[in-house]
Amino acid sequence: MSVNFIGMVTTNKNSEIHAPVGPAIDIDYLQRFARAHEEAGFDRVLVPYHSNGPDAILTIAQVAAATRHIKLMLAHRPGFVAPTLAARQLATLDQFSGGRLGVHIISGGSDVEQRRDGDFLDHDRRYARTDEYLEVLRKVWTAGEPFDHHGEFYRVEQAFSEVKPVQQPHIPIFFGGASEAAIPVAGRHADIYALWGESLDQVRELTGRVRTEAARHGREISFSVSFRPILAATEDAAWERAERILAETRRLRSGNGSRHPAQTGPQESVGARRLLAAAEKGDRVDRRLWTAIARETGARYNSTALVGTPEQVAEALLDYYDLGVTTFLIRGFDPLEDALDYGRELIPRTRELVAERVRQKLEKQQKQQKQAA
């Protein structure tokens, strides 16, 4: 199995250590950011969704126009547009981008965030709606003739789309959600199940549950884990950089009126609770996992880091690969600069380690076959 890397782009420069400056949309920055990922050797780039930010569909169309071959991943929340319309929009984007689109389904882990867009379903009901939404979405992408659907959340008659995705049988579906309500939906619909940067034991446990659920439907699922790598030429320098990032995060949060982490998260997000559970074990977990930013911010998003030299972080990623994780979403605290830095050593070195691991497994299999013969 090969390894894939996903980055993330935003419409202006911002992170825990960079307060947004200027307008919400800086077209030049977005284009440079997207091209930087392409130059750095990323396989795909994510455009996130926020209830108070620029429209993600229009943003990813701009990213597609600014790049040539990198694949795309659109964060998409069911419930704010009919699944029939979303299916046509996404299929159209897949056509215009030359078959580069993936869609990351996020049902929502914050009631506050959802209600800004007028969604008042509770956490578990959102996942029930997502289940039906994805059923209709996939049917629109694949149906050869009009169909009716009468469900709990959606009712359509003679639904059909003349535009189909370039990718067959349909656009890849990434899926996030770690709750008991989420995992059955992932098992039925996800092509790639996405986790935040948890400990090795947590990832082993959760991916096992998702695999079991998928197997009930005769399906197999791939896995993605998200990290915020902090790199430097030496291990000591990397940890020193991590401490500077934490100090600047605290300074900016105290200066803009941010509340205590316990008040800002995790709200309804089980994934956030899992990150905080990892943080309870200490700031440093396993070989390289650093949890201090997750604790500071309430773990409301992917906020755990792998800290070390490029070689050390690549080896840490290999530990997750050995658990069956074949995709890594990595983004930095210095967003554009880190994306380019990852492309210099971390991404190529990780690919080399994975290729060596694949070679070793193949040789072992061949040896066993010869012994059996």
Side-chain angles (χ1 to χ4, degrees):
M1 296 182 293
S2 61
V3 64
N4 295 287
F5 285 93
I6 302 175
M8 190 182 91
V9 297
T10 53
T11 56
N12 61 8
K13 184 174 182 176
N14 70 88
S15 77
E16 293 85 349
I17 62 173
H18 294 284
V21 176
I25 296 178
D26 181 337
I27 296 175
D28 179 65
Y29 179 80
L30 174 66
Q31 292 176 338
R32 287 189 292 116
F33 203 2
R35 290 169 185 150
H37 283 85
E38 198 161 62
E39 294 166 9
F42 282 80
D43 299 282
R44 193 181 292 271
V45 65
L46 166 69
V47 169
Y49 181 107
H50 300 289
S51 63
N52 58 353
D55 180 80
I57 288 181
L58 297 178
T59 300
I60 208 165
Q62 185 73 243
V63 171
T67 56
R68 297 180 60 188
H69 57 78
I70 193 168
K71 294 181 180 179
L72 313 167
M73 184 163 76
L74 172 71
H76 180 73
R77 289 186 188 174
F80 303 120
V81 61
T84 50
L85 173 57
R88 298 197 306 276
Q89 289 176 325
L90 297 172
T92 302
L93 276 169
D94 199 46
Q95 288 285 341
F96 283 140
S97 67
R100 291 191 279 157
L101 186 64
V103 59
H104 182 38
I105 300 297
I106 306 171
S107 301
S110 166
D111 288 348
V112 173
E113 177 85 356
Q114 296 295 119
R115 288 171 182 176
R116 289 189 184 123
D117 277 332
D119 181 21
F120 287 82
L121 288 184
D122 66 24
H123 175 276
D124 288 3
R125 295 291 289 159
R126 290 197 288 268
Y127 281 102
R129 179 179 60 193
T130 293
D131 191 11
E132 187 178 337
Y133 186 95
L134 288 173
E135 179 185 346
V136 177
L137 190 78
R138 292 168 63 185
K139 190 174 292 186
V140 173
W141 282 338
T142 59
E145 58 186 28
F147 66 90
D148 296 342
H149 174 88
H150 292 187
E152 180 181 0
F153 299 95
Y154 301 102
R155 178 177 178 176
V156 298
E157 295 180 355
Q158 296 298 288
F160 183 73
S161 175
E162 293 181 357
V163 57
K164 302 295 185 186
V166 172
Q167 300 170 89
Q168 293 297 315
H170 56 71
I171 293 166
I173 295 174
F174 294 74
F175 185 92
S179 67
E180 292 299 325
I183 290 176
V185 184
R188 282 189 287 272
H189 298 288
D191 298 306
I192 303 95
Y193 179 82
L195 304 82
W196 285 339
E198 302 180 355
S199 70
L200 290 166
D201 285 343
Q202 287 176 308
V203 169
R204 183 183 295 108
E205 179 269 337
L206 184 53
T207 57
R209 288 164 58 199
V210 174
R211 282 194 183 96
T212 298
E213 188 64 38
R216 293 180 56 222
H217 303 279
R219 306 181 68 246
E220 293 184 357
I221 291 181
S222 299
F223 295 96
S224 170
V225 177
S226 302
F227 294 108
R228 311 288 294 278
I230 299 174
L231 308 179
T234 68
E235 182 176 5
D236 286 345
W239 285 112
E240 289 171 4
R241 185 185 174 201
E243 291 302 322
R244 291 196 300 271
I245 288 170
L246 178 59
E248 182 64 7
T249 298
R250 287 173 172 164
R251 187 188 72 81
L252 289 180
R253 283 172 61 79
S254 65
N256 68 9
S258 293
R259 295 172 294 172
H260 187 274
Q263 295 175 296
T264 59
Q267 298 184 39
E268 294 74 43
S269 172
V270 173
R273 292 192 184 99
R274 290 176 65 90
L275 286 193
L276 292 176
E280 288 177 0
K281 298 179 181 180
D283 283 354
R284 302 187 187 187
V285 180
D286 297 328
R287 285 206 276 180
R288 304 262 148 232
L289 187 66
W290 187 55
T291 65
I293 296 294
R295 181 185 294 107
E296 173 66 24
T297 60
R300 288 295 300 119
Y301 47 85
N302 60 319
S303 47
T304 52
L306 295 175
V307 182
T309 67
E311 177 75 18
Q312 290 171 329
V313 173
E315 290 172 351
L317 291 174
L318 192 66
D319 290 339
Y320 287 89
Y321 177 84
D322 287 339
L323 296 180
V325 177
T326 55
T327 297
F328 296 103
L329 193 158
I330 56 173
R331 64 186 184 99
F333 294 94
D334 291 303
L336 191 155
E337 296 82 1
D338 281 341
L340 291 169
D341 192 32
Y342 297 155
R344 295 185 185 99
E345 294 186 70
L346 178 59
I347 291 176
R349 182 55 182 146
T350 306
R351 294 193 195 282
E352 290 172 0
L353 291 175
V354 167
E356 176 63 18
R357 181 69 91 243
V358 171
R359 186 188 66 78
Q360 291 172 352
K361 289 183 178 179
L362 181 60
E363 289 180 350
K364 183 178 180 180
Q365 290 174 354
Q366 292 173 340
K367 184 178 180 179
Q368 291 174 339
Q369 289 172 354
K370 288 181 180 180
Q371 292 174 342

